[in-house]
Amino acid sequence: MSAREPGVSLLVDSDSRGHVHIDCYVRSAIPTGVSEQITTLVERLRTLRECGCVDEVDVSRWPSKRSIAAETEPTCDELVAEFERWADRHGYSLEPGFRRRTIPPSPLGVDAEARERVRVPLVALALYEEDADAEILRGVVPCTELSYTDDEHTYTVDEWLATVETRALDEPVRSSQIDRKPLLEGQ
């Protein structure tokens, strides 16, 4: 693996892996100009599934911020907390794709305390590996690899896909973002 190849690309090494699946989360409010890029990205993920690089791909909207009583699915905040734990354990940061900020209390007294808000990227991937009795989060994209030498690098969804496609197909794959601003990485 090269210095700039995402650590999470290990998922294409199928020799000793378990069942691998990707959860793709997309914001519900997508700018019109970006929807075509997201459709292309989803097609690329499904191609990875068809060629056997991953076993399953699920595409869904980010869940709501608050829990609904009968809901068994995690909330957006719970997912982001899980992703942050993965990043902390493996030397990554979720910024700038995921952004936290503090909302001050309302001057009208409606909110007595400051609260924290998480802004999620337009699209993010959660990479899971299942073995005999557990599902393990193996990666989150976008993410930034932290370095003690200030040589940090942010891996975008598009860049990760291009790396995996190149390794899987044994030929270079052109990134769909070449000569474009990376719109998919959280605005």
Side-chain angles (χ1 to χ4, degrees):
M1 192 162 35
S2 74
R4 286 291 177 234
E5 189 173 306
V8 290
S9 69
L10 66 94
L11 294 175
V12 297
D13 299 329
S14 59
D15 296 338
S16 62
R17 68 171 171 83
H19 179 87
V20 175
H21 78 264
I22 297 175
D23 286 340
C24 176
Y25 294 99
V26 180
R27 269 199 224 156
S28 56
I30 301 170
T32 306
V34 178
S35 63
E36 186 176 309
Q37 288 179 293
I38 291 177
T39 299
T40 300
L41 179 138
V42 169
E43 289 170 6
R44 291 169 69 191
L45 286 169
R46 291 187 175 137
T47 299
L48 287 177
R49 183 189 62 215
E50 290 167 7
C51 76
C53 295
V54 295
D55 299 300
E56 187 178 341
V57 174
D58 293 316
V59 180
S60 60
R61 303 269 181 226
W62 281 102
S64 67
K65 302 269 185 208
R66 288 176 232 99
S67 178
I68 300 172
E71 187 112 6
T72 58
E73 297 296 315
T75 65
C76 184
D77 290 338
E78 291 167 339
L79 272 178
V80 171
E82 177 187 5
F83 296 168
E84 288 172 332
R85 285 189 299 273
W86 169 84
D88 288 342
R89 285 192 308 268
H90 293 92
Y92 291 89
S93 168
L94 297 182
E95 291 183 6
F98 294 78
R99 295 188 185 117
R100 286 194 177 274
R101 69 181 184 140
T102 301
I103 308 295
S106 168
L108 302 174
V110 177
D111 292 327
E113 295 181 20
R115 56 190 166 90
E116 190 171 68
R117 179 176 172 213
V118 177
R119 180 153 175 113
V120 295
L122 290 174
V123 66
L125 305 178
L127 311 147
Y128 292 94
E129 183 176 11
E130 297 176 32
D131 59 16
D133 38 281
E135 178 179 80
I136 302 163
L137 180 61
R138 293 292 186 198
V140 178
V141 183
C143 63
T144 300
E145 186 174 27
L146 302 177
S147 170
Y148 295 109
T149 62
D150 292 333
D151 187 29
E152 296 178 353
H153 181 78
T154 299
Y155 298 103
T156 65
V157 171
D158 192 62
E159 179 181 14
W160 183 85
L161 274 169
T163 299
V164 173
E165 290 164 336
T166 298
R167 289 184 68 193
L169 304 174
D170 287 332
E171 59 187 56
V173 176
R174 286 185 54 99
S175 170
S176 66
Q177 296 294 317
I178 293 177
D179 298 328
R180 284 197 227 167
K181 182 179 174 191
L183 293 173
L184 300 179
E185 305 313 325
Q187 294 181 349

